[in-house]
Amino acid sequence: MRVLRLKYRLTKEEIEEALLCLEYKREGLYKKINLWVVTILGIVVLAAYMREPEIFPLFVVLGVIILLLFYIGYGTRRRRSKNAQKIADKKGDYQLFFTDSYVQFRDKNDKLMFRKEKMVLYFSDNMLTFKIGQEVFTIPKRILNSKQQEKLVKIAKDYEALIVNISIEKE
């Protein structure tokens, strides 16, 4: 039985990258499509308001659309950053034990068997993020050598995990 013992502390940036991995569908193409749709809707409402400025509800709708654009563009990033800061402020040390059939966490009290849970492995620039059932395990690549990284990928493949490569772009 292979055992991989990991002990580490996460930085705010690493936590933020892991949260981004978990929200990758909402941050990529989906976000761009939403921005375009809401922008086009805003242009249509603006044109209607310019034709008939006495219709005050159009002005209110236009204000709501502008706020929605700012939220879609910047609010989710700000919320993710605040959540990462809250987690980083706890300054916890994380300790994980991976074996062929389970992961042990929370000071060796909890075991999560791989067979019973759906598993997703997110690869990003600096992180490996496992989502096993409802639990999330974030492992910085800086603490892993290539052999350890291969072991984690092999475990994920053995249990038919969905493996997602995330490319992080600077905004």
Side-chain angles (χ1 to χ4, degrees):
M1 179 184 293
R2 297 175 301 197
V3 175
L4 183 60
R5 289 175 166 52
L6 303 172
K7 187 172 183 175
Y8 54 93
R9 178 174 282 175
L10 295 172
T11 64
K12 177 188 178 273
E13 292 77 21
E14 290 170 337
I15 295 167
E16 200 167 339
E17 187 172 319
L19 291 172
L20 181 61
C21 287
L22 295 172
E23 299 175 347
Y24 82 98
K25 287 183 180 177
R26 285 181 250 147
E27 285 295 322
L29 183 61
Y30 184 75
K31 179 179 177 178
K32 290 176 186 175
I33 291 170
N34 282 339
L35 282 170
W36 277 102
V37 168
V38 174
T39 300
I40 291 169
L41 183 62
I43 292 169
V44 169
V45 171
L46 178 62
Y49 180 70
M50 289 174 69
R51 270 189 254 126
E52 298 185 44
E54 64 275 356
I55 302 177
F56 184 72
L58 286 176
F59 182 73
V60 173
V61 170
L62 189 60
V64 169
I65 288 172
I66 291 169
L67 290 174
L68 185 60
L69 281 170
F70 276 107
Y71 179 74
I72 292 170
Y74 303 106
T76 54
R77 184 177 358 152
R78 187 164 189 264
R79 179 183 43 84
R80 184 175 51 250
S81 179
K82 281 181 136 182
N83 287 344
Q85 188 62 52
K86 277 185 202 175
I87 296 169
D89 286 344
K90 293 179 183 175
K91 294 184 179 161
D93 287 328
Y94 299 95
Q95 191 168 351
L96 299 175
F97 296 96
F98 279 89
T99 69
D100 291 335
S101 58
Y102 64 89
V103 60
Q104 201 168 10
F105 57 102
R106 290 193 189 125
D107 298 325
K108 302 180 185 178
N109 293 331
D110 293 332
K111 284 184 183 179
L112 184 60
M113 302 301 287
F114 294 139
R115 293 181 205 275
K116 297 178 183 176
E117 302 292 340
K118 178 182 173 190
M119 186 187 309
V120 182
L121 173 60
Y122 300 98
F123 266 101
S124 63
D125 298 338
N126 304 310
M127 304 299 293
L128 287 177
T129 305
F130 275 93
K131 185 168 188 224
I132 305 169
Q134 296 300 314
E135 295 289 339
V136 176
F137 304 100
T138 303
I139 305 164
K141 286 183 179 178
R142 65 179 159 78
I143 69 161
L144 298 172
N145 60 36
S146 60
K147 194 173 182 181
Q148 291 171 323
Q149 199 168 335
E150 288 171 13
K151 281 183 186 178
L152 290 172
V153 171
K154 181 166 180 7
I155 289 170
K157 286 181 179 177
D158 287 348
Y159 290 97
E160 299 174 4
L162 174 64
I163 298 176
V164 180
N165 288 312
I166 307 289
S167 175
I168 310 276
E169 298 174 8
K170 295 289 181 187
E171 293 183 28

